[in-house]
mmCIF file of all heavy atoms in Angstrom:
data_model
loop_
_atom_site.group_PDB
_atom_site.id
_atom_site.type_symbol
_atom_site.label_atom_id
_atom_site.label_comp_id
_atom_site.label_asym_id
_atom_site.label_seq_id
_atom_site.Cartn_x
_atom_site.Cartn_y
_atom_site.Cartn_z
ATOM 1 N N ILE A 9 110.241 102.030 112.221
ATOM 2 C CA ILE A 9 108.965 101.758 112.883
ATOM 3 C C ILE A 9 107.897 102.626 112.227
ATOM 4 O O ILE A 9 108.143 103.791 111.898
ATOM 5 C CB ILE A 9 109.061 102.003 114.406
ATOM 6 C CG1 ILE A 9 107.812 101.498 115.111
ATOM 7 C CG2 ILE A 9 109.347 103.468 114.724
ATOM 8 C CD1 ILE A 9 107.925 101.519 116.646
ATOM 9 N N SER A 10 106.728 102.056 112.036
ATOM 10 C CA SER A 10 105.627 102.803 111.437
ATOM 11 C C SER A 10 104.321 102.264 111.993
ATOM 12 O O SER A 10 104.301 101.204 112.633
ATOM 13 C CB SER A 10 105.653 102.688 109.904
ATOM 14 O OG SER A 10 105.506 101.345 109.498
ATOM 15 N N ARG A 11 103.241 102.984 111.733
ATOM 16 C CA ARG A 11 101.950 102.529 112.252
ATOM 17 C C ARG A 11 100.845 102.813 111.247
ATOM 18 O O ARG A 11 100.917 103.791 110.489
ATOM 19 C CB ARG A 11 101.638 103.165 113.607
ATOM 20 C CG ARG A 11 101.408 104.659 113.597
ATOM 21 C CD ARG A 11 101.361 105.208 115.032
ATOM 22 N NE ARG A 11 100.280 104.629 115.813
ATOM 23 C CZ ARG A 11 100.262 104.584 117.149
ATOM 24 N NH1 ARG A 11 101.270 105.086 117.839
ATOM 25 N NH2 ARG A 11 99.233 104.047 117.777
ATOM 26 N N ASP A 12 99.841 101.955 111.287
ATOM 27 C CA ASP A 12 98.631 102.132 110.500
ATOM 28 C C ASP A 12 97.479 102.071 111.493
ATOM 29 O O ASP A 12 97.037 100.979 111.884
ATOM 30 C CB ASP A 12 98.517 101.040 109.440
ATOM 31 C CG ASP A 12 97.324 101.227 108.522
ATOM 32 O OD1 ASP A 12 96.385 101.951 108.897
ATOM 33 O OD2 ASP A 12 97.323 100.638 107.427
ATOM 34 N N ASN A 13 97.009 103.231 111.919
ATOM 35 C CA ASN A 13 95.972 103.266 112.955
ATOM 36 C C ASN A 13 94.654 102.656 112.481
ATOM 37 O O ASN A 13 93.890 102.120 113.280
ATOM 38 C CB ASN A 13 95.752 104.696 113.428
ATOM 39 C CG ASN A 13 96.919 105.204 114.268
ATOM 40 O OD1 ASN A 13 97.666 104.422 114.847
ATOM 41 N ND2 ASN A 13 97.081 106.516 114.305
ATOM 42 N N ALA A 14 94.407 102.709 111.192
ATOM 43 C CA ALA A 14 93.176 102.112 110.671
ATOM 44 C C ALA A 14 93.178 100.597 110.830
ATOM 45 O O ALA A 14 92.124 99.968 110.919
ATOM 46 C CB ALA A 14 93.004 102.480 109.200
ATOM 47 N N LYS A 15 94.386 100.032 110.879
ATOM 48 C CA LYS A 15 94.514 98.575 111.030
ATOM 49 C C LYS A 15 94.944 98.184 112.436
ATOM 50 O O LYS A 15 95.214 97.005 112.691
ATOM 51 C CB LYS A 15 95.526 98.033 110.015
ATOM 52 C CG LYS A 15 95.096 98.192 108.575
ATOM 53 C CD LYS A 15 96.113 97.578 107.634
ATOM 54 C CE LYS A 15 95.659 97.701 106.191
ATOM 55 N NZ LYS A 15 96.648 97.103 105.244
ATOM 56 N N ASN A 16 95.047 99.192 113.347
ATOM 57 C CA ASN A 16 95.509 98.905 114.720
ATOM 58 C C ASN A 16 96.835 98.145 114.714
ATOM 59 O O ASN A 16 97.052 97.234 115.525
ATOM 60 C CB ASN A 16 94.463 98.092 115.483
ATOM 61 C CG ASN A 16 93.362 98.953 116.068
ATOM 62 O OD1 ASN A 16 93.255 100.137 115.745
ATOM 63 N ND2 ASN A 16 92.535 98.378 116.908
ATOM 64 N N THR A 17 97.727 98.530 113.836
ATOM 65 C CA THR A 17 98.965 97.773 113.651
ATOM 66 C C THR A 17 100.182 98.690 113.616
ATOM 67 O O THR A 17 100.132 99.769 113.005
ATOM 68 C CB THR A 17 98.897 96.943 112.356
ATOM 69 O OG1 THR A 17 97.811 96.023 112.450
ATOM 70 C CG2 THR A 17 100.184 96.147 112.154
ATOM 71 N N VAL A 18 101.228 98.246 114.278
ATOM 72 C CA VAL A 18 102.532 98.896 114.214
ATOM 73 C C VAL A 18 103.500 97.913 113.568
ATOM 74 O O VAL A 18 103.459 96.711 113.856
ATOM 75 C CB VAL A 18 103.029 99.298 115.616
ATOM 76 C CG1 VAL A 18 104.489 99.705 115.586
ATOM 77 C CG2 VAL A 18 102.191 100.440 116.168
ATOM 78 N N TYR A 19 104.358 98.441 112.708
ATOM 79 C CA TYR A 19 105.309 97.618 111.984
ATOM 80 C C TYR A 19 106.738 97.963 112.402
ATOM 81 O O TYR A 19 107.032 99.089 112.815
ATOM 82 C CB TYR A 19 105.170 97.848 110.472
ATOM 83 C CG TYR A 19 103.784 97.606 109.954
ATOM 84 C CD1 TYR A 19 102.890 98.662 109.782
ATOM 85 C CD2 TYR A 19 103.358 96.318 109.639
ATOM 86 C CE1 TYR A 19 101.612 98.441 109.298
ATOM 87 C CE2 TYR A 19 102.080 96.093 109.158
ATOM 88 C CZ TYR A 19 101.211 97.155 108.999
ATOM 89 O OH TYR A 19 99.938 96.934 108.532
ATOM 90 N N LEU A 20 107.613 96.982 112.284
ATOM 91 C CA LEU A 20 109.040 97.217 112.445
ATOM 92 C C LEU A 20 109.741 96.589 111.242
ATOM 93 O O LEU A 20 109.855 95.370 111.145
ATOM 94 C CB LEU A 20 109.566 96.604 113.744
ATOM 95 C CG LEU A 20 111.036 96.916 114.061
ATOM 96 C CD1 LEU A 20 111.196 98.413 114.372
ATOM 97 C CD2 LEU A 20 111.540 96.073 115.236
ATOM 98 N N GLN A 21 110.155 97.455 110.332
ATOM 99 C CA GLN A 21 110.905 97.009 109.160
ATOM 100 C C GLN A 21 112.375 96.931 109.556
ATOM 101 O O GLN A 21 112.948 97.936 109.989
ATOM 102 C CB GLN A 21 110.712 97.990 108.001
ATOM 103 C CG GLN A 21 111.642 97.754 106.808
ATOM 104 C CD GLN A 21 111.290 96.499 106.028
ATOM 105 O OE1 GLN A 21 110.118 96.230 105.798
ATOM 106 N NE2 GLN A 21 112.289 95.741 105.627
ATOM 107 N N MET A 22 112.957 95.763 109.406
ATOM 108 C CA MET A 22 114.344 95.547 109.818
ATOM 109 C C MET A 22 115.175 95.164 108.607
ATOM 110 O O MET A 22 114.887 94.151 107.949
ATOM 111 C CB MET A 22 114.426 94.450 110.881
ATOM 112 C CG MET A 22 113.553 94.727 112.097
ATOM 113 S SD MET A 22 113.786 93.525 113.421
ATOM 114 C CE MET A 22 113.168 92.034 112.625
ATOM 115 N N ASN A 23 116.171 95.977 108.309
ATOM 116 C CA ASN A 23 117.060 95.731 107.185
ATOM 117 C C ASN A 23 118.483 95.505 107.685
ATOM 118 O O ASN A 23 118.805 95.813 108.832
ATOM 119 C CB ASN A 23 117.044 96.925 106.224
ATOM 120 C CG ASN A 23 115.675 97.186 105.632
ATOM 121 O OD1 ASN A 23 114.923 96.258 105.323
ATOM 122 N ND2 ASN A 23 115.330 98.450 105.451
ATOM 123 N N SER A 24 119.319 94.981 106.805
ATOM 124 C CA SER A 24 120.738 94.754 107.136
ATOM 125 C C SER A 24 120.883 94.027 108.463
ATOM 126 O O SER A 24 121.671 94.426 109.326
ATOM 127 C CB SER A 24 121.488 96.100 107.171
ATOM 128 O OG SER A 24 121.366 96.781 105.957
ATOM 129 N N LEU A 25 120.130 92.979 108.615
ATOM 130 C CA LEU A 25 120.112 92.263 109.897
ATOM 131 C C LEU A 25 121.450 91.609 110.184
ATOM 132 O O LEU A 25 122.147 91.140 109.271
ATOM 133 C CB LEU A 25 118.983 91.238 109.906
ATOM 134 C CG LEU A 25 117.592 91.844 110.124
ATOM 135 C CD1 LEU A 25 116.501 90.876 109.696
ATOM 136 C CD2 LEU A 25 117.417 92.249 111.577
ATOM 137 N N LYS A 26 121.789 91.591 111.465
ATOM 138 C CA LYS A 26 123.048 91.031 111.947
ATOM 139 C C LYS A 26 122.753 89.887 112.916
ATOM 140 O O LYS A 26 121.671 89.847 113.519
ATOM 141 C CB LYS A 26 123.844 92.111 112.683
ATOM 142 C CG LYS A 26 124.085 93.384 111.892
ATOM 143 C CD LYS A 26 124.733 94.440 112.768
ATOM 144 C CE LYS A 26 124.933 95.745 112.003
ATOM 145 N NZ LYS A 26 125.547 96.796 112.857
ATOM 146 N N PRO A 27 123.696 88.983 113.097
ATOM 147 C CA PRO A 27 123.467 87.903 114.079
ATOM 148 C C PRO A 27 123.115 88.430 115.468
ATOM 149 O O PRO A 27 122.319 87.803 116.180
ATOM 150 C CB PRO A 27 124.812 87.164 114.085
ATOM 151 C CG PRO A 27 125.354 87.384 112.716
ATOM 152 C CD PRO A 27 124.938 88.781 112.346
ATOM 153 N N GLU A 28 123.662 89.576 115.832
ATOM 154 C CA GLU A 28 123.359 90.133 117.154
ATOM 155 C C GLU A 28 121.943 90.697 117.262
ATOM 156 O O GLU A 28 121.516 91.109 118.342
ATOM 157 C CB GLU A 28 124.381 91.219 117.544
ATOM 158 C CG GLU A 28 124.590 92.287 116.492
ATOM 159 C CD GLU A 28 125.801 92.012 115.619
ATOM 160 O OE1 GLU A 28 125.992 90.836 115.199
ATOM 161 O OE2 GLU A 28 126.555 92.970 115.345
ATOM 162 N N ASP A 29 121.198 90.721 116.165
ATOM 163 C CA ASP A 29 119.788 91.099 116.218
ATOM 164 C C ASP A 29 118.898 89.910 116.614
ATOM 165 O O ASP A 29 117.690 90.079 116.810
ATOM 166 C CB ASP A 29 119.310 91.633 114.862
ATOM 167 C CG ASP A 29 119.990 92.939 114.484
ATOM 168 O OD1 ASP A 29 120.122 93.811 115.361
ATOM 169 O OD2 ASP A 29 120.383 93.074 113.299
ATOM 170 N N THR A 30 119.492 88.739 116.720
ATOM 171 C CA THR A 30 118.729 87.558 117.113
ATOM 172 C C THR A 30 118.147 87.745 118.506
ATOM 173 O O THR A 30 118.865 88.046 119.463
ATOM 174 C CB THR A 30 119.634 86.311 117.093
ATOM 175 O OG1 THR A 30 120.051 86.062 115.745
ATOM 176 C CG2 THR A 30 118.901 85.093 117.628
ATOM 177 N N ALA A 31 116.835 87.579 118.618
ATOM 178 C CA ALA A 31 116.140 87.808 119.885
ATOM 179 C C ALA A 31 114.655 87.504 119.689
ATOM 180 O O ALA A 31 114.188 87.327 118.558
ATOM 181 C CB ALA A 31 116.298 89.257 120.346
ATOM 182 N N VAL A 32 113.951 87.480 120.797
ATOM 183 C CA VAL A 32 112.495 87.512 120.741
ATOM 184 C C VAL A 32 112.081 88.983 120.769
ATOM 185 O O VAL A 32 112.538 89.740 121.636
ATOM 186 C CB VAL A 32 111.857 86.754 121.920
ATOM 187 C CG1 VAL A 32 110.331 86.839 121.832
ATOM 188 C CG2 VAL A 32 112.299 85.298 121.913
#
């Protein structure tokens, strides 16, 4: 998780995704 306050944005970088990560 990271944030760029200048852009009012938070990011979630997700790697090595698994089927159990399926969700909203």
Side-chain angles (χ1 to χ4, degrees):
I9 189 171
S10 61
R11 66 190 299 157
D12 184 340
N13 288 337
K15 295 183 178 180
N16 278 11
T17 299
V18 168
Y19 304 96
L20 185 67
Q21 170 71 42
M22 304 186 295
N23 299 322
S24 303
L25 283 162
K26 306 173 182 179
E28 51 263 43
D29 294 317
T30 295
V32 179

